[in-house]
Amino acid sequence: MSNQSFRILSNLRRLQLRQSQFRKYGPAFISRWQSTTHSKEERNRRLPDDGVTLSHFISNSQSNSKPANEQGEDIGPIPISAPLGIESSQFSNRVLKFHLKTYGCQMNVSDSDIVRSILLDENATFSGNQISFEETQEEMDADILLTNTCAIRENAESKVWQRLRELRAHDNKNPLEKLTIVEAEEENEDRLENAVRFGKKKKAQKRKRIIGVLGCMAERLKEDMFKDGTADLIVGPDAYRDLPRLINALAPKPISTTGQPLYETPMMERALNVELSFDETYADITPVRANPGDVSAFVSVMRGCNNMCSYCVVPFTRGRERSRELESIVEEARILYEQSGVKEICLLGQNVNSYHDRSENAILTNPALETAGNEDDHSKKDIYKAGYQTSNDGFSNMFRLRGGAGYYFVDLVEAVSNISPELRVRFTSPHPKDYPPELLSLMAERHNVCNHLHMPAQSGSSTVLERMRRGYTREAYMELIDDVRSTIPDVAITSDFITGFCGETEEEHEDTLSLMDHVKYDQAFMFAYSMRGKTHANRTMTDDVPDEVKSRRLQEVISMFRTNIQIRNDELEVGKLRLLLVEGESRRSKEGARTWGGRTDQNKRVVFPISGETPECWSEESVRPILNALNRTYPSNTMIRSDLFHDFARSPKVEIQAGDYALVQVDDARGHTLRGKLMWRASMQGFHEMGLDQSDLGLFGSLLTK
Ligand code: SAM
Ligand code: SF4
């Protein structure tokens, strides 16, 4: 036997051994080899000392079936590596195509951008193997079908199950090309030798696509997701760095590249890594956005949630709160603004305004004050930094108090808004407890921090809020609404509501309707309660509101929202000048009736008709002299006006592009979408400097819209 054949055979034997171990110990073994870089002691040292205990999050985060030998001893990690004697260059031209579909919230969209970045990283190497990935938008063109999932409600999960079944059925009908696969069996070396040397004992097999489930549902259900045979790969939200290695284990490997290529059966049939992390923030990964041309970008600033609201599965699927370093966030936002044409950054996190960067650098730069709490010596900001402050005294953290040195959310918003006065800053999804006065003041001061606060109430009843473990009463929440409206003029307030939570009475439901009627929200996301496993409600309460009652109450809150938003938009928006960040042609735009659209500071969508292919209007430069003069002299100095109008009429019109700011006069409201007339292209700074009064437009307004 030649040396070459001998080497290949011994490699194959190693692989077969691993395969048989896998078959013996089940798919879960791969999760045990999660490539954590910290020892147990190190990880414990790195843990923040606030919040709930670790066991809340990790007790069920690991697979139940650990790899063990027949005596039940832990056999430890089984690394996957390139077979000896096969050069890694043989794998380097192996390109696998993946298709990625995302369900759920913005965090999932942002996580998919991280997954894309990990897979497209040319330098992704692991254990000596190297494969490269390519994204495809065509499902049936892909080798790997990834679905990033949401577990927040049962119907979100049902959609995913349905998709997985459809994908498998589709794959069975339209398999990938046939591969010549060598069936490697440990005890049959001769057959293998022949197969490798002479291409005998080989058979052409249909290659199945790898179906992978990522995200919250993967984390919640773990191995259970393998049960109906549709999924091959399960990866939780903190394990995305492991994806290339896991996919490598599932893909058939080339064992000979000369002559007719031969492939070995994949090392594993199924692979799983659902380990939650205490410090993974993917801070060093530059996300690859699905739509790089979008004028808005999401930047993930923190992960996980410590709140443990009694209905919510997020703390179990996303783990503990951890924040990215402020500097890395600002850098990512700066690059998006300066190099990718992004004009709006939305800071993202499950409880985004509970952000707290406690890295060494943050602690040195922003130490806690020794005299915390002494209002005579320090500004409110100092006190906030020294000791964590809730929105008002009626709010509490459900778990231990936080505080101490480092950067808080207000520092982050300030730092990102400093990048440029032309860059808008938003954030989602916040908790109402984390709106300290300092943050509200900053939002009021800065034109580029959007006047929009999401304040998920969930219920208007203090007794339901207590059962939900939200940490506030109806009264504290309403006091905060008053503070917000008196501090930030023209602010839009939005919310989430759940109907039919455990034990909800008609009276408690009426409290929700009356809160909605009182606040008059600018947008609301409303859901019927869906009981989730592991949550406090699941363990201690009964899901006793019948489905038809939940649905009827849901319809009532939806109709309360709709009635109020129409009244509010008719009163506050119609006739008003709004500065839009133009996003491009509207979805419903069609030949002969073209419309473009964008969003206001208040996050309201406005569409405006255009006459040609692209919008054209006046520029800020040509409008400014007239508006300045109108402000100072109207109506007495008609000479100035006629001179200026003469110049204005001769000035050229400019084209509007996605990413421009433009002034629109709103002339109609249909529910929560507004329609308007395009006035002029603006800059955010210019618009605010002009200090425009809505009544300035007068006759000039109708001239502008011609
Ligand atoms: N962190 C935000 C907060 O504190 O309100 C909410 C984020 S949560 C991912 C999004 C929304 O889903 C929640 O505000 C809540 O209204 C809804 N939700 C969460 N769990 C739910 C459940 N079990 N049934 C119905 N809706 C639920
Ligand atoms: Fe879920 Fe939001 Fe409560 Fe966290 S704060 S547990 S994400 S509802």
Side-chain angles (χ1 to χ4, degrees), residues 152-153 311-312 314 350 429-431 456 458 470 496-498 527-530 532:
I152 198 97
R153 283 170 291 276
Y311 53 83
C312 187
V314 167
Q350 265 90 22
S429 177
H431 189 290
Q458 312 299 357
R470 288 290 288 176
D496 296 351
F497 288 97
I498 298 176
F527 313 100
Y529 174 59
S530 166
R532 308 313 285 143

Side-chain angles (χ1 to χ4, degrees), residues 364-436:
L364 287 174
T365 324
N366 243 358
L369 294 181
E370 284 169 13
T371 50
N374 182 347
E375 279 206 51
D376 297 337
D377 295 342
H378 300 287
S379 72
K380 272 188 178 167
K381 185 168 178 174
D382 293 333
I383 291 162
Y384 172 42
K385 280 181 186 154
Y388 166 82
Q389 193 183 354
T390 51
S391 306
N392 65 40
D393 291 342
F395 286 85
S396 64
N397 258 298
M398 290 305 286
F399 298 94
R400 269 172 277 159
L401 256 193
R402 306 167 19 196
Y407 293 122
Y408 284 86
F409 190 61
V410 68
D411 303 304
L412 178 66
V413 174
E414 191 173 1
V416 177
S417 70
N418 281 342
I419 291 174
S420 164
E422 295 299 313
L423 175 69
R424 269 186 180 175
V425 185
R426 300 188 183 280
F427 51 89
T428 200
S429 177
H431 189 290
K433 76 180 184 328
D434 293 313
Y435 280 120

